[in-house]
């Protein structure tokens, strides 16, 4: 964030009587189904050097949290076991070397864990100001998808105005954010979805083309839509046997970016086809990246994308909002695959 003067030398809070000692949080003792997401009492964390404590208003729900709940995706070393990776709220306290002027400010942030709680700690460098154009629920739905799409499509795949992109899962949080960014930055976007209704929803959101992968061969349809040329970028969350099919969709000099492996962690690829078309295969995971990288990414997003947010031209698609106590229902909805856009927990 842009506020720098008045750096504090010690932990400070804006609450006259101090912070509470405990809070409600979702911190399952063991992996399991949605029923393990029961609010429990946990100590309110205190911000360390370079950190802020946020009184959480809302938390986004993401598929990695479903995997963590199942015991398949442990949090990075040092991260809280409390679920959740994105928050919005008000800065309630600041740690050392953080400007005291941040106290009371509305922020949203990408964090390594701890979002499903009444309070959460965030590195100052990963916080973004919440403009009046965004509600707190909308702000909580922004960081994970925005950071992921920006870093993978515009940094790793170096997308440029006029290019074509194929995005699988077009009505997911990632997919809907990709549609919005494609429209803002001059990309033509093709998405896949699992029903005609979802394809229609994707088109309403702004997709140029939507393919029902259950009814059509997406490779053939992509080549038909692009008059045999193919797309410049594929953003893939499926992995497995989708990867060689995705490569068939790519034009010469195309870039394939993997960000999840929901369909399998292994793929057999045609190496000579990669050589012939001069393709680039890349991918990334955001959660375990170091704080320095995430701070740089937040700064870039703040400079290049956040002006659209402040103008009201970029906002997330919200599927449904649940109170914290209904976190099991929120996870069940995500696992059902019926959602369009982001699922959010309202905490404050």
């Amino acid at each position: 964030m842009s506020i720098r003067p008045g750096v504090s030398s010690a932990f400070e809070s804006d609450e006259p009587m101090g912070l509470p000692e405990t809070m409600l949080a979702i911190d399952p003792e063991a992996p399991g189904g949605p029923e393990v997401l029961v609010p429990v009492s946990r100590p309110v964390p205190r911000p360390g050097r370079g950190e802020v404590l946020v009184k959480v208003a809302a938390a986004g729900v993401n598929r990695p949290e479903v995997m963590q709940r199942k015991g398949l995706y442990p949090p990075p070393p040092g991260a809280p076991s409390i679920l959740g990776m994105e928050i919005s709220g008000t800065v309630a306290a600041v740690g050392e070397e953080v400007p005291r002027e941040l106290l009371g400010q509305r922020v949203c942030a990408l964090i390594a864990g701890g979002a499903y709680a009444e309070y959460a700690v965030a590195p100052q460098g990963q916080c973004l100001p919440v403009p009046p154009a965004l509600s707190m629920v909308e702000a909580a739905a922004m960081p994970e998808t925005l950071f992921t799409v920006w870093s993978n499509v515009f940094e790793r795949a170096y997308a440029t105005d006029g290019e074509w992109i194929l995005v699988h899962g077009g009505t997911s949080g990632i997919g809907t954010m990709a549609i919005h960014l494609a429209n803002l930055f001059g990309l033509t976007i093709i998405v896949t979805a699992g029903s005609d209704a979802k394809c229609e929803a994707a088109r309403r959101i702004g997709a140029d083309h939507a393919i029902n992968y259950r009814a059509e061969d997406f490779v053939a349809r992509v080549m038909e839509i692009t008059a045999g040329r193919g797309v410049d970028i594929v953003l893939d969350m499926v992995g497995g046997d989708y990867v060689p099919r995705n490569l068939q969709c790519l034009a010469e000099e195309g870039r394939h970016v993997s960000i999840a492996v929901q369909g399998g962690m292994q793929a057999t690829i045609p190496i000579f086809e990669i050589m012939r078309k001069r393709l680039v295969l890349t991918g990334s995971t955001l959660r375990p990246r170091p704080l320095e990288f995430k701070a740089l990414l937040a700064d870039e997003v703040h400079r290049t994308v956040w002006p659209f947010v402040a103008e009201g031209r970029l906002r997330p698609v919200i599927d449904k909002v649940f109170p914290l106590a209904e976190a099991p229902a929120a996870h069940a909805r995500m696992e059902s695959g019926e959602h369009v856009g982001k699922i959010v927990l309202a905490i404050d």
Side-chain angles (χ1 to χ4, degrees), residues 320-334:
K320 194 167 183 180
V321 181
F322 295 86
L324 183 65
E326 294 181 20
H331 272 226
R333 180 159 180 81
M334 171 155 283

Side-chain angles (χ1 to χ4, degrees), residues 185-230:
F185 288 91
L187 305 178
T188 301
I189 184 166
I190 305 171
V191 303
T192 65
S195 70
D196 290 343
K198 283 201 166 190
C199 286
E200 178 56 33
R203 284 188 287 265
R204 286 197 306 269
I205 293 164
D208 297 286
H209 305 274
I211 302 167
N212 180 348
Y213 66 84
R214 298 185 192 277
E216 299 181 279
D217 176 1
F218 74 79
V219 176
R221 281 289 291 132
V222 165
M223 299 310 289
E224 179 183 352
I225 291 167
T226 61
R229 176 186 177 274

Side-chain angles (χ1 to χ4, degrees), residues 20-96:
E21 291 296 320
T22 61
M23 64 179 183
L24 289 178
I26 303 292
D27 187 13
E29 294 185 0
E35 69 279 358
V36 304
L37 302 179
V38 178
V40 294
S41 179
R42 290 290 183 265
V44 172
R46 296 299 189 259
R49 185 185 304 271
E51 295 179 331
V52 299
L53 179 69
V54 177
K55 186 175 184 180
V56 181
V61 176
N62 300 284
R63 194 162 294 276
E65 293 145 23
V66 172
M67 296 171 61
Q68 180 176 335
R69 187 205 77 219
K70 294 178 177 180
L72 302 175
Y73 190 22
S81 58
I82 295 169
L83 294 175
M85 301 188 301
E86 57 184 350
I87 55 172
S88 67
T90 304
V91 176
V94 297
E96 293 184 35

